[in-house]
Amino acid sequence: MYSLNREDKKWVDEVWNKIDAKMKVVAEKNINKIPYTIDENGDFDDCATGKWPYDISWWTNGFWPGYMWLLYVGTGDELYRKAAENAEDLLDGAFAEYDHLHHDVGFMWHISAGVNYRLTGNKKSRLRALYAADFLAARYNPAGKYVRSWNADSDTDGYNKLIIDSMMNIPMLYWAAKEHGDDRFKQMAVNHADTVMKTHIRPDGTSHHIVEVNPSDGSIVKSLGGQGYADESTWTRGQAWAIYGFALSYIHTGDEKYLMTAKKVANAFIACAAQSEWIVPLDFRQPPKPVIYDATAAACAACGLLEISKTCSEYDKKNYLNAAIKLLKALDEKAADYTIDKDNLINYCSEAYKPGRGEAGLNTAIIYGDYYYTEAIYKLKGFDKLFW
């Protein structure tokens, strides 16, 4: 699937084996948890027993079971399947917290219950994923042609907030359209992708994180910096969401405009990442000091670049594939911890530039950093089951 030279293939095999060796220990240790980050001792926390907002409804809670399913597909080890299924069972508690749910039900159930069903045919998992998809569809605004991101408590003067992260949630709607036999779900996803393409992607290929939109027509009220440095800056994880998200919309629809958008955003990301020697900052337009990195952006972008590379002519294929490998090798060298001293795999992860948990980003663990790094290596190993 990916044309790797002998050296790169050897490197991928070695990294995969190191991830598996570490995670056999970590998965057993955390078999009944849903981790988000680590404590001062390097041990994973547990959102299944945590306090709001880092509790069972926390938006990242699908990444741990998704991570375990990646390793299960790649190794066949039942330990990973057990950890994934345990986390999925624990996630049922989030369905009871209706007021705390949001558009990120895609992150929470598409790569947990959804993957379980697609791999094993588990009927209970199918119902969980469809329940989440129906919830997501209920957030669709037909006048504005978008799926609302956050809830009413985030509104300003009656305007809704639409975030670039949403492009990674709508694949659940593409799946639900087929599973329900109801094209409305696909129409919602397509309309949402079209709206985000207009509201969030700048002419130079960079992206806004948050845009306030008028719910009556989906028009832009104003853009906000969100988790990036400033209102008009380029938050790198948002850029990665856009790369991968639009690539996925292309995969699910075959519509070339989504592929062209994914490439446009990817080209901007690659140009900026090359200037930082592939060690991705939290924001491409942040000031020189303090130095804040975000390994999650690099890992997620690599996954999207790998999918784009499969669509290209031979020349462009190498450009996107090589960029993904450079990002991953930089993570391997600078951010990865394959020891069992700490539960997490990837360091240098950041939530946001502005004050908040994980701001420093110099030695911080976030579960989706581990997930996307492993997913990218999984892809390079030749496993072709698409989790999204």
Side-chain angles (χ1 to χ4, degrees):
M1 184 178 297
Y2 299 105
S3 225
L4 301 180
N5 61 40
R6 183 177 299 178
E7 180 183 339
D8 285 343
K9 187 177 184 307
K10 180 182 177 183
W11 169 76
V12 168
D13 289 342
E14 289 174 349
V15 169
W16 179 261
N17 289 338
K18 286 189 288 186
I19 293 172
D20 180 35
K22 173 178 179 129
M23 292 311 299
K24 277 182 166 60
V25 177
V26 174
E28 182 69 43
K29 176 183 173 183
N30 297 279
I31 195 78
N32 293 308
K33 285 185 178 181
I34 301 181
Y36 171 64
T37 188
I38 56 171
D39 63 19
E40 63 276 8
N41 298 315
D43 297 323
F44 272 141
D45 62 357
D46 185 10
C47 286
T49 59
K51 296 181 180 179
W52 174 256
Y54 301 99
D55 67 356
I56 195 61
S57 299
W58 186 234
W59 73 273
T60 69
N61 286 350
F63 284 104
W64 172 254
Y67 186 12
M68 296 297 98
W69 282 120
L70 285 169
L71 291 167
Y72 172 73
V73 172
T75 68
D77 193 323
E78 288 293 325
L79 167 66
Y80 298 128
R81 176 172 177 165
K82 179 63 174 175
E85 290 175 337
N86 286 355
E88 184 183 329
D89 287 342
L90 291 169
L91 263 176
D92 282 350
F95 284 132
E97 297 188 359
Y98 183 88
D99 288 346
H100 291 168
L101 294 179
H102 32 64
H103 75 130
D104 285 327
V105 294
F107 280 124
M108 294 171 73
W109 278 283
H110 191 49
I111 57 172
S112 59
V115 166
N116 189 351
Y117 169 63
R118 295 193 292 278
L119 288 176
T120 72
N122 185 310
K123 292 182 179 179
K124 190 171 183 179
S125 295
R126 175 182 182 271
L127 292 177
R128 286 165 168 152
L130 286 176
Y131 186 92
D134 291 352
F135 178 92
L136 186 60
R139 302 180 66 81
Y140 180 72
N141 178 331
K145 295 186 177 181
Y146 61 87
V147 177
R148 181 176 184 166
S149 294
W150 293 332
N151 297 331
D153 57 3
S154 74
D155 286 354
T156 305
D157 298 325
Y159 298 124
N160 296 164
K161 289 184 173 64
L162 189 57
I163 65 176
I164 194 66
D165 320 38
S166 63
M167 289 304 300
M168 292 299 298
N169 283 305
I170 61 171
M172 175 175 267
L173 295 178
Y174 293 123
W175 168 78
K178 295 177 181 178
E179 201 63 30
H180 275 308
D182 188 340
D183 202 50
R184 289 178 304 160
F185 288 83
K186 180 180 179 181
Q187 291 165 8
M188 292 176 194
V190 164
N191 287 343
H192 178 86
D194 291 347
T195 296
V196 171
M197 196 160 51
K198 291 184 292 186
T199 56
H200 284 69
I201 308 304
R202 302 182 183 119
D204 66 356
T206 62
S207 59
H208 299 288
H209 178 202
I210 304 172
V211 173
E212 274 192 352
V213 294
N214 189 326
S216 66
D217 59 7
S219 60
I220 299 173
V221 177
K222 63 180 177 180
S223 64
L224 302 170
Q227 289 162 246
Y229 169 65
D231 286 354
E232 294 303 320
S233 62
T234 304
W235 179 48
T236 54
R237 181 151 42 91
Q239 197 77 2
W241 295 142
I243 294 169
Y244 202 0
F246 280 105
L248 289 167
S249 277
Y250 169 71
I251 290 168
H252 288 293
T253 68
D255 193 324
E256 289 283 333
K257 68 185 175 186
Y258 300 134
L259 178 59
M260 292 302 102
T261 301
K263 286 182 175 181
K264 180 179 179 179
V265 179
N267 292 342
F269 190 101
I270 290 169
C272 293
Q275 293 180 45
S276 63
E277 298 182 342
W278 308 98
I279 307 298
V280 176
L282 184 144
D283 193 302
F284 283 133
R285 295 172 181 174
Q286 69 187 34
K289 299 291 182 180
V291 178
I292 304 177
Y293 303 105
D294 188 10
T296 73
C300 179
C303 289
L305 292 172
L306 290 173
E307 291 301 328
I308 292 172
S309 75
K310 294 191 294 187
T311 72
C312 298
S313 65
E314 196 58 34
Y315 177 78
D316 283 343
K317 184 188 297 289
K318 289 180 180 178
N319 285 341
Y320 294 111
L321 175 60
N322 289 343
I325 290 173
K326 286 177 181 177
L327 289 168
L328 294 168
K329 285 187 173 180
L331 290 175
D332 176 39
E333 180 181 349
K334 302 292 186 182
D337 182 348
Y338 301 108
T339 73
I340 58 172
D341 297 337
K342 297 192 303 180
D343 287 349
N344 69 299
L345 175 63
I346 298 295
N347 298 306
Y348 296 93
C349 303
S350 299
E351 282 185 344
Y353 190 92
K354 297 174 182 177
R357 191 176 182 183
E359 181 192 1
L362 298 179
N363 198 26
T364 304
I366 302 179
I367 193 63
Y368 45 81
D370 293 6
Y371 172 87
Y372 283 114
Y373 181 70
T374 302
E375 187 186 67
I377 300 299
Y378 160 98
K379 291 176 188 288
L380 289 172
K381 280 285 291 180
F383 302 114
D384 57 2
K385 185 72 175 180
L386 182 66
F387 274 40
W388 301 91

